[in-house]
Amino acid sequence: MSTSVVVTGLGIASPNGLGTKEYWSATLEGKNGIGRITRFDPTGYPSQLAGEIDGFEAGKHLPQRLLPQTDRMTRLALVATDWALEDAGVKPGSFADFDMGVVTASSSGGFEFGQRELQRLWSLGSQHVSAYQSFAWFYAVNSGQISIRNGMKGPSGVVVSDQAGGLDALAQARRQIRKGTPLIVSGSIDASICTWGWVAQGASGRLSTRTDPSRAYLPFDADASGFVPGEGGAILILENGSAARQRGAKIYGEIAGYGATIDPKPGSSRGPGLRKAIELALADAGVGARDIDVVFADGAAIPELDRIESEALAEIFGPRGVPVTAPKTMTGRLYSGAAPLDVATALLAIQEGVIPPTVHTAAISDYQLDLVTGAPRRAKVRTALVLARGYRGFNSALIVRDFRESSNN
Amino acid sequence: MTKEFTLEDLKRVLLASAGAAEGVDLDSNILDIDFADLGYESVALLETGRQIELECRVSLDDGALAQVRTPRALLSLVNGHRNAANAQLREAS
């Protein structure tokens, strides 16, 4: 039997709540974190709404030494990691250095830091570019800074596969634990709401141009017209299940199954790969469709992608066969941070026996989705499926399961 | 003629370019303490050197900068460059 891998700590930074407690209550209340951009003046850009994190003052949480060398996304990731480790009851020194690793995902790197240094390069000259530009923008910087700050020298890395990367990182973390590393910090935080980041994101052509925060991001809706981006995500502490039990850790649940596929190139006669990713995850977890109590949807809000997702769900679970939710309607799509936040939310749903709602959206009836809208739904949640798709064809599916009842593992 | 680059100048540049590590008092006698023990690794020193170059209008050799281990050695390197630059200025005038 494979080693079971469990989640023992959560650190959440979301546009509708900073910290697990605040995020969870905001999410159950249906609090919308999407609004007009405040970080810069969005007038003149086609898209003007985003999910921004308010009230995060890095200097209150991090040593001053780290501030000149970190982008906003790294500061958020370092603080979320501190919260996750505290939540897991892991103190520096309670594990050997090489028994702890870091595997995060990244979608764009430290755009805001990079933008500032590029502006200096072109307006003042190369001597004015910070030496920290050598790593502060880089995809792997969050893994690196988390590793340095916490003395974690075990297997580490970064996964770059857009939104799907958030699940792919957790899967890679699970592999490293199964290979013998007791603890891995995983998940992801993305944040690139700056003018350069905004132009780069807009180039996908997938951003909503609506200006009403309650009508802009509407996955599965007849009015779906693209998504609203956001910043943030979640950092999770993953541990070997039996070791976590032995040390008496609080266990949120088990990473029970994972599957990933790539869509065929446009024009291919083969169909999209999402359904196959779900089937792989179910097989990996050793469960059937009827064992899944809730699906956290990818919710692209691109009509073609919504149709593919709802068809995959209806084919596997039957018409309206499983409750489906997309709490990311309150945060916007957080790129690589979205799926770890969904996984954290699924674990809280398991713990609390409640499915958080999808807001603003009314699903097209042809989609045959049992979408949880309006208010949270009380339900016994033992096993949850989380979906994430990345730009240009990445599909990932991850299953989390209550660990309290699986005492035979 | 430009004035000497002092320890106070260096502390100001260190703070601006790389911050201060917790538990390190830059106001104590740091002249001969290894930069590593003060919390400044190679990239922090590279950034500090870049700031000094801009401020003092000198060009520090990256290789020489990498050899510098203490504030005293860095001050000596910077002022050595400044004195050489000043001497050139005098000869030219």
Side-chain angles (χ1 to χ4, degrees):
Chain A
M1 181 127 201
S2 293
T3 310
S4 54
V5 175
V6 298
V7 178
T8 57
L10 303 177
I12 290 175
S14 165
N16 70 341
L18 197 52
T20 300
K21 209 175 151 190
E22 214 178 292
Y23 164 74
W24 181 241
S25 62
T27 299
L28 292 183
E29 285 165 21
K31 183 182 164 193
N32 191 8
I34 291 172
R36 183 176 161 88
I37 289 173
T38 62
R39 208 70 51 70
F40 59 90
D41 178 7
T43 309
Y45 293 84
S47 302
Q48 302 182 352
L49 301 181
E52 291 178 325
I53 293 173
D54 297 325
F56 175 71
E57 290 179 46
K60 284 193 178 166
H61 304 283
L62 295 172
Q64 196 248 355
R65 178 75 182 77
L66 279 171
L67 301 182
Q69 56 175 300
T70 45
D71 182 79
R72 178 173 174 83
M73 62 150 198
T74 303
R75 295 171 179 180
L76 286 164
L78 287 170
V79 173
T81 301
D82 289 350
W83 291 341
L85 288 169
E86 190 188 343
D87 188 31
V90 174
K91 290 194 174 65
S94 54
F95 285 72
D97 291 2
F98 287 94
D99 285 346
M100 302 179 287
V102 188
V103 181
T104 64
S106 179
S107 171
S108 61
F111 251 71
E112 194 173 3
F113 196 104
Q115 172 175 344
R116 191 183 66 217
E117 299 310 321
L118 277 174
Q119 284 171 330
R120 285 185 182 159
L121 173 67
W122 288 102
S123 61
L124 299 167
S126 62
Q127 284 299 306
H128 292 260
V129 177
S130 165
Y132 294 120
Q133 171 65 3
S134 59
F135 59 71
W137 75 273
F138 192 52
Y139 298 109
V141 68
N142 288 357
S143 285
Q145 291 282 22
I146 291 167
S147 155
I148 293 165
R149 176 163 164 82
N150 298 289
M152 297 170 163
K153 299 181 179 174
S156 297
V158 64
V159 182
V160 181
S161 42
D162 192 34
Q163 188 121 335
L167 294 182
D168 300 337
L170 294 170
Q172 173 65 3
R174 185 176 69 150
R175 276 181 215 115
Q176 297 295 7
I177 290 172
R178 285 180 166 173
K179 282 200 247 169
T181 303
L183 181 147
I184 303 277
V185 175
S186 191
S188 182
I189 301 270
D190 249 324
S192 54
I193 303 175
C194 58
T195 51
W196 183 33
W198 203 241
V199 171
Q201 291 175 40
S204 70
R206 292 181 170 187
L207 271 53
S208 171
T209 54
R210 299 240 174 97
T211 52
D212 176 353
S214 66
R215 296 303 300 160
Y217 176 35
L218 304 169
F220 308 115
D221 195 286
D223 252 1
S225 63
F227 67 86
V228 172
E231 61 180 357
I235 298 293
L236 286 68
I237 308 301
L238 271 56
E239 290 186 67
N240 177 306
S242 51
R245 269 213 172 117
Q246 263 178 15
R247 78 170 180 92
K250 165 188 66 189
I251 293 173
Y252 284 100
E254 175 192 10
I255 306 289
Y258 166 73
T261 61
I262 304 268
D263 285 334
K265 67 179 179 185
S268 163
S269 57
R270 291 185 296 131
L274 183 63
R275 178 181 172 172
K276 183 69 179 174
I278 298 170
E279 288 168 347
L280 289 169
L282 290 169
D284 183 35
V287 299
R290 69 182 54 190
D291 296 312
I292 299 295
D293 301 309
V294 61
V295 175
F296 284 75
D298 176 61
I302 311 291
E304 165 75 1
L305 291 171
D306 284 353
R307 186 184 56 73
I308 289 168
E309 185 167 29
S310 52
E311 279 177 5
L313 293 176
E315 284 166 12
I316 291 176
F317 297 98
R320 300 176 196 279
V322 65
V324 176
T325 189
K328 59 169 69 79
T329 44
M330 294 173 237
T331 64
R333 284 171 74 83
L334 309 181
Y335 297 99
S336 73
L341 183 57
D342 277 343
V343 170
T345 311
L347 292 166
L348 293 167
I350 288 170
Q351 194 174 57
E352 305 276 329
V354 59
I355 299 171
T358 308
V359 300
H360 307 141
T361 277
I364 295 172
S365 61
D366 284 0
Y367 286 166
Q368 307 198 71
L369 292 177
D370 174 14
L371 198 64
V372 178
T373 55
R377 186 189 295 180
R378 284 269 152 212
K380 175 150 181 58
V381 182
R382 179 160 189 256
T383 309
L385 169 68
V386 178
L387 303 180
R389 288 175 291 183
Y391 190 55
R392 297 204 166 148
F394 297 102
N395 304 292
S396 293
L398 189 114
I399 293 169
V400 287
R401 181 164 56 199
D402 192 346
F403 197 62
R404 290 169 292 194
E405 294 171 25
S406 48
S407 52
N408 56 331
N409 282 5
Chain B
M1 182 73 96
T2 47
K3 69 179 175 59
E4 185 172 276
F5 189 72
T6 66
L7 182 61
E8 288 308 310
D9 293 326
L10 175 59
K11 285 196 286 195
R12 176 174 45 75
V13 175
L14 279 170
L15 283 171
S17 55
E22 274 166 33
V24 170
D25 179 12
L26 290 183
D27 288 327
S28 64
N29 186 4
I30 60 165
L31 265 177
D32 294 305
I33 298 179
D34 199 293
F35 276 118
D37 295 328
L38 292 171
Y40 300 111
E41 81 302 330
S42 59
V43 187
L45 288 179
L46 199 63
E47 173 67 10
T48 301
R50 187 186 67 83
Q51 295 277 5
I52 293 171
E53 285 182 326
L54 289 173
E55 182 169 323
C56 300
R57 297 168 191 274
V58 293
S59 177
L60 302 175
D61 176 61
D62 279 355
L65 195 60
Q67 302 293 317
V68 162
R69 303 288 298 272
T70 63
R72 188 189 299 278
L74 180 54
L75 290 174
S76 162
L77 176 73
V78 173
N79 286 314
H81 276 276
R82 304 193 68 156
N83 292 339
N86 285 335
Q88 275 184 348
L89 275 176
R90 274 196 303 273
E91 270 181 32
S93 60

